Amino acid sequence: MELNVKEYVKMIARRWWIVALIVAIGSAATAWIQSSLISPVYEASSKLIISTAPEATSDAGAGGARIDFESVRANVALIGTYMEIMTSPMVLDEVAARLPEMDLTGSRLQGMVKVGTVPETQVLDVYVRDTSYERAAKIAATVTEVFRERVSQMLGVNNVAYLNEANPDSPSAPVNRSMTLFLALSFVASAIVGIGAVTMMEAFNDTVRTEEDLERHFGIGALALVPTYGKQADSSVITTSGVGERKHVTINP
């Protein structure tokens, strides 16, 4: 069945309630799944900075100190090393040992802890995801604490400082529940399914409704038209058609 744009629009308008019903069911199902079946996941984060002690100098101005940019570049180059240390079994196993009440393991923590950095900076971002924000914040704090200790022991430096520490008392919204986004996606997907369903119903419907349908399906024109009258129609007017022409005949009682 070939349809032009005008016929396609008419087809959808004729069965609009099917599309609306499918959209309503899809949106309601999405809202219910998001609120009832999907467990919320929270993310806690801490920020660390690899600091560089200012170098004392007599010509550095009123402050008497200046930043050693060679040390800054060296610290930036070491960021990758610090990231590997933070997610290593040496650190994560110790974190699990310090939080026995959470029944964690180092391998499980590897799937929960993510470390990132802003390019060309000395800042490290630690992210932890869990079904409880309080647990996630506590894990993030413990990870950074153990990391600082291990860096000091291994590299003999004490240049890791907090920029921002995860606060268990300030929970954030779940990261896996964006109701507006999911409802919008559900609306679009349901509308596509609804239009597809209407198209399929129309494709398998052989009912002849108009003269155009008759010509399209059988290649012949209408010989006559049988009028349909409602209760309020004027029974004194009858419209008939002959072959190849239409005539309007008025019969007065």
Side-chain angles (χ1 to χ4, degrees):
M1 179 180 65
E2 296 182 0
L3 295 175
N4 58 36
V5 175
K6 185 177 180 180
E7 291 174 336
Y8 197 79
V9 172
K10 287 182 178 179
M11 176 191 69
I12 296 175
R14 187 164 55 247
R15 300 179 185 269
W16 67 267
W17 62 271
I18 297 177
V19 179
L21 180 62
I22 293 176
V23 169
I25 293 174
S27 299
T30 299
W32 180 72
I33 290 172
Q34 279 286 305
S35 60
S36 303
L37 298 185
I38 298 180
S39 300
V41 175
Y42 299 91
E43 183 178 83
S45 63
S46 294
K47 282 183 179 291
L48 299 175
I49 184 170
I50 313 303
S51 60
T52 300
E55 182 180 280
T57 179
S58 59
D59 59 351
R66 63 180 176 84
I67 298 297
D68 184 357
F69 290 102
E70 291 298 327
S71 297
V72 172
R73 282 192 288 268
N75 286 334
V76 171
L78 285 172
I79 287 294
T81 301
Y82 290 147
M83 292 173 64
E84 290 297 323
I85 293 175
M86 189 176 294
T87 56
S88 67
M90 175 185 64
V91 171
L92 298 182
D93 288 344
E94 178 63 22
V95 172
R98 294 189 185 187
L99 300 171
E101 70 278 7
M102 295 188 184
D103 193 24
L104 297 170
T105 62
S107 58
R108 184 181 174 188
L109 283 171
Q110 284 184 333
M112 300 169 61
V113 179
K114 303 297 180 185
V115 182
T117 183
V118 180
E120 303 300 323
T121 70
Q122 299 172 258
V123 177
L124 281 174
D125 294 307
V126 184
Y127 304 97
V128 178
R129 290 191 176 186
D130 192 78
T131 54
S132 166
Y133 179 81
E134 184 178 355
R135 281 167 50 96
K138 195 170 184 179
I139 293 171
T142 307
V143 168
T144 54
E145 178 184 352
V146 174
F147 167 71
R148 295 178 68 192
E149 294 175 2
R150 291 295 181 265
V151 167
S152 178
Q153 293 170 3
M154 295 173 59
L155 303 181
V157 294
N158 190 23
N159 62 345
V160 181
Y162 285 107
L163 277 180
N164 178 51
E165 189 173 4
N167 186 357
D169 299 325
S170 300
S172 60
V175 296
N176 65 332
R177 282 188 177 177
S178 179
M179 188 66 72
T180 302
L181 173 62
F182 282 107
L183 283 178
L185 293 175
S186 175
F187 179 89
V188 174
S190 299
I192 293 174
V193 171
I195 293 173
V198 168
T199 303
M200 292 296 294
M201 293 174 64
E202 191 73 16
F204 289 103
N205 187 359
D206 295 330
T207 303
V208 177
R209 302 185 187 88
T210 64
E211 292 180 72
E212 290 76 11
D213 291 342
L214 185 64
E215 293 177 359
R216 183 169 60 251
H217 287 292
F218 302 102
I220 59 177
L223 297 178
L225 295 178
V226 179
T228 300
Y229 294 99
K231 293 182 179 180
Q232 298 179 352
D234 186 358
S235 60
S236 65
V237 179
I238 301 177
T239 303
T240 61
S241 298
V243 178
E245 63 179 352
R246 295 184 181 181
K247 296 181 179 180
H248 298 276
V249 179
T250 302
I251 300 177
N252 297 318

